Structure formats: C-alpha cells, structure tokens
C-alpha cells in the first residue's frame, strides 16, 4: 500500500509531462498524492471498518462492504476534490443517485492494493478486489484490472516467484506480459484503460530488480505515469525494500503539503507492516501534522461517518 502511494507521488509531476529518461526522474517539492493515493487510502479505510465482517464472513458482508467502499470513496473524493479524478468519477462523487457506470479505466487497479495484503486466500482476495471495483468500475475489464493487481500482491506475499505470478496473471486475465519495456516505450501513449495500463505496470515490475528501479521503469514508460507507478509500486513493495530516501522524501512531502494525516495510514500501520518480509520491514508511517484537514469539516456536516 505504501509502495503504491510512493509510486503515485513520484509519478505525479510526470503524468502530463512525461519523462522517458530514467536518470532525470526525481522527487520534487511539487510531487504530491493524486487521486490514486486518495482512493487507495479510502479502500484501506473501508477494509478496516469492515475488518471483522470480512474475516468472519458474517451475513451480508459483501453488501455491507460494497456500501462502505462507496461511502468512504465519496467522503474522501469530495474532501480531496482536486486530485485529478476522471470526468465520470467526478460526476459519480456528487450524484445523490450514483450507480456503477461500467468503467474499464485503471482507477480500479490503482486503488486495490490494500486488498492484496489483507486476506489469507486467493479466493477471498479476488472476491474482495471485485467488490472494490464494482461501485464504479463494474465493466469486466475494470474488475480484471483490480483483481490482477490484488492477486499479484497476494501471490508474492505467499512466496510465489515473479515468473509464477507472471504465468498466473497471463493465463487468468489474458494479459500479454511477454513484451519488453523498451519496445512498449517507443509507441506508448496516454492510456487510462485497465487493459492498456495494468499489463504495462506489471511488466515494469517484472523487469525491475529493486523497488526504485520498478518505479523508474513505470514512470519512464510515459502515459498515465502516476497510476502506472502506483500499480507497479504496489507489487514491488512486496518483494523489495523501499529505499529510505524515497520513503522519507514522500512522507515529508505529504506532511509539508498538509494533505493527509497519520491516521490515513492506519491500515498500513496495523495490517501491512506486520505482514511485510521481516528482511526489509519498514517502520509505521508517522509524521507531524497540525493544520486543518477537510475530513474534519465533512464530519462536522455529518458526512464521512466512521472514518476514524
């Protein structure tokens, strides 16, 4: 999950100003969390709120979780309304009669990474990944994108090799993962569909040999660089240590920009950190924050309940 957010922040300044030279890709003071990070945090919050139901599979747990995903995404999306959401998603956020709109965009893949860390079976991981997609991205390709990223995280956590994960995702989701980054990069354009960005993110991960290299691979492809780096970073975090300079730099940006609070990383701190490879286990996310957070205002208005 933190790997996804760091990828998003690093890619944020290159989304509409692509940089294909990896040596020039840097974190700047303008690098910031985008909709990818905000929705990743929203899904993590919904998972925490419904944690006992999801683990115990109580009656109607799937519907309750679906409803909570919608509620929390709406609360976070409206609190952080200028974060680069797609046009239909922006309309969905403010529509009192909102319904799924058949999207196959990569929004479902960018926000799903917490699911990959929560469950102890592939079946549960795939099922809950589907539910996180369905409030908006209920097109089969949208669901596939979410499931592919979540399944990749789960399988890597379970000790599967990159090649085994590649084989599973290729066969299950019909993604062509045999292409090479250099060949893709020559003609790659801005693509926001799952089918034209999720496989590319996975390939960026497969070709990288460190967390940092994966992020540079993903951003240097061009196109929707923050989202591709978000998805690739979500996978890379499982098998590679996040370098201290990347981790600290992004957390400092988040604190300095007063965008998010430490509590927004509660799922990471309570769930993910405990499940990380002990050989490179990072500490919980902690930072000082003293300024106004728009979520407090939402709660004063009676919106965004149960977000603590």
């Amino acid at each position: 999950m933190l790997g996804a957010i760091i990828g998003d922040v690093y890619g944020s300044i290159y989304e509409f100003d692509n940089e294909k030279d990896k040596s020039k890709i840097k974190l700047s003071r303008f690098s910031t969390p985008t909709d990818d990070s905000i929705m990743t945090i929203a899904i993590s919050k919904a998972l925490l709120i419904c944690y006992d139901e999801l683990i115990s599979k109580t009656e109607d747990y799937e519907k309750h979780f679906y409803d909570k995903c919608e509620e929390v995404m709406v609360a976070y999306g409206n609190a952080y309304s200028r974060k680069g959401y797609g046009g239909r998603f922006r309309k969905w956020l403010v529509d009192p009669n909102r319904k799924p709109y058949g999207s196959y965009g990569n929004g479902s893949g960018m926000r799903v990474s917490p699911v990959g860390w929560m469950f102890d079976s592939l079946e549960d991981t795939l099922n809950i990944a589907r539910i996180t997609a369905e409030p908006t991205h209920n097109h089969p390709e949208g669901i596939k994108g979410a499931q592919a990223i979540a399944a990749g995280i789960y399988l890597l956590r379970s000790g599967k090799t990159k090649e085994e994960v590649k084989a599973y995702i290729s066969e299950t989701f019909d993604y062509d993962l045999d292409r090479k980054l250099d060949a893709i990069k020559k003609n790659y354009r801005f693509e926001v569909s799952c089918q034209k960005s999720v496989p590319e993110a996975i390939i960026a991960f497969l070709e990288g040999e460190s967390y940092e290299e994966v992020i540079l691979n993903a951003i240097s492809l061009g196109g929707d660089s923050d989202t591709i780096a978000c998805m690739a970073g979500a996978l890379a975090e499982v098998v590679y240590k996040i370098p201290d300079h990347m981790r600290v730099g992004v957390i400092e940006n988040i604190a300095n920009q007063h965008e998010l609070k430490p509590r927004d990383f509660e799922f990471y701190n309570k769930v993910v950190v405990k499940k990380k490879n002990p050989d490179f286990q990072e500490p919980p996310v902690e930072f000082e924050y003293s300024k106004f957070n728009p979520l407090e205002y939402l709660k004063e208005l009676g919106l965004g309940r149960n977000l603590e």
Side-chain angles (χ1 to χ4, degrees):
M1 174 186 167
L2 181 60
I5 292 170
I6 290 173
D8 172 46
V9 174
Y10 262 77
S12 62
I13 60 173
Y14 300 107
E15 180 178 10
F16 299 110
D17 187 17
N18 290 159
E19 177 55 73
K20 298 200 174 188
D21 182 346
K22 290 194 283 188
S23 69
K24 295 181 180 179
I25 295 172
K26 310 290 183 185
L27 185 74
S28 87
R29 64 189 180 94
F30 301 108
S31 304
T32 189
T34 76
D35 55 329
D36 305 55
S37 294
I38 302 303
M39 288 299 110
T40 295
I41 290 169
I43 293 301
S44 78
K45 188 66 70 171
L47 287 168
L48 271 183
I49 294 169
C50 297
Y51 189 90
D52 291 339
E53 284 185 87
L54 292 170
I55 297 300
S56 302
K57 298 183 181 179
T58 56
E59 185 177 0
D60 293 331
Y61 76 97
E62 291 179 333
K63 181 182 186 306
H64 293 165
F65 181 61
Y66 176 101
D67 291 342
K68 190 57 62 177
C69 284
E70 180 178 294
E71 177 187 348
V72 181
M73 283 196 292
V74 169
Y76 269 86
N78 285 315
Y80 300 96
S81 59
R82 297 182 178 181
K83 283 296 179 180
Y85 306 104
R88 287 196 293 173
F89 189 82
R90 287 198 303 272
K91 292 179 181 178
W92 180 85
L93 285 174
V94 298
D95 184 354
N97 300 310
R98 66 185 61 85
K99 294 179 181 179
Y101 49 88
S103 176
Y104 50 80
N106 54 24
S108 59
M110 77 186 190
R111 69 193 185 212
V112 76
S113 60
V115 175
W117 287 96
M118 182 160 167
F119 299 97
D120 294 327
S121 78
L122 180 59
E123 179 182 7
D124 287 341
T125 299
L126 292 171
N127 185 40
I128 300 304
R130 170 186 60 81
I131 295 173
T132 66
E134 286 181 332
T136 52
H137 293 59
N138 59 329
H139 187 283
E141 291 292 344
I143 293 170
K144 278 171 56 176
Q147 289 181 320
I149 296 297
I153 294 169
Y154 169 80
L155 292 170
L156 292 166
R157 279 180 48 220
S158 302
K160 298 298 184 183
T161 65
K162 280 187 170 186
E163 285 301 314
E164 289 171 324
V165 171
K166 175 184 175 182
Y168 172 82
I169 292 176
S170 298
E171 180 178 346
T172 304
F173 303 107
D174 195 28
Y175 287 161
D176 179 5
L177 302 181
D178 288 325
R179 295 168 294 151
K180 298 299 181 182
L181 287 176
D182 287 343
I184 296 170
K185 191 182 297 187
K186 290 178 182 178
N187 300 307
Y188 195 64
R189 298 291 183 267
F190 193 91
E191 295 282 358
V192 297
S193 68
C194 275
Q195 55 269 43
K196 293 184 179 181
S197 60
V198 174
E200 285 71 16
I202 296 170
I203 292 169
F205 161 68
L206 292 172
E207 288 198 24
E209 296 184 359
S210 69
Y211 178 85
E212 185 167 18
E213 185 179 8
V214 169
I215 296 304
L216 297 179
N217 283 347
I219 294 171
S220 67
L221 274 175
D224 192 5
S225 57
D226 59 333
T227 301
I228 296 173
C230 174
M231 296 186 290
L235 295 164
E237 173 184 19
V238 187
V239 294
Y240 298 123
K241 185 183 189 304
I242 299 173
D244 289 341
H245 73 274
M246 298 182 78
R247 185 180 187 280
V248 171
V250 167
I251 292 172
E252 285 182 350
N253 271 25
I254 288 171
N256 292 338
Q257 294 165 9
H258 304 291
E259 292 274 41
L260 300 167
K261 281 189 173 180
R263 72 181 181 200
D264 292 319
F265 294 87
E266 185 179 12
F267 183 90
Y268 177 80
N269 291 343
K270 289 185 175 181
V271 178
V272 178
V273 167
K274 295 177 181 178
K275 295 185 177 183
K276 283 218 170 184
N277 185 325
D279 292 339
F280 50 79
Q281 192 170 47
E282 287 94 13
V285 174
E286 298 175 345
F287 56 90
E288 294 295 324
Y289 184 104
S290 59
K291 288 192 176 182
F292 169 78
N293 186 302
L295 286 176
E296 298 293 343
Y297 179 64
L298 277 178
K299 282 192 263 187
E300 289 176 12
L301 299 179
L303 302 173
R305 298 182 300 279
N306 299 322
L307 293 182
E308 290 292 349

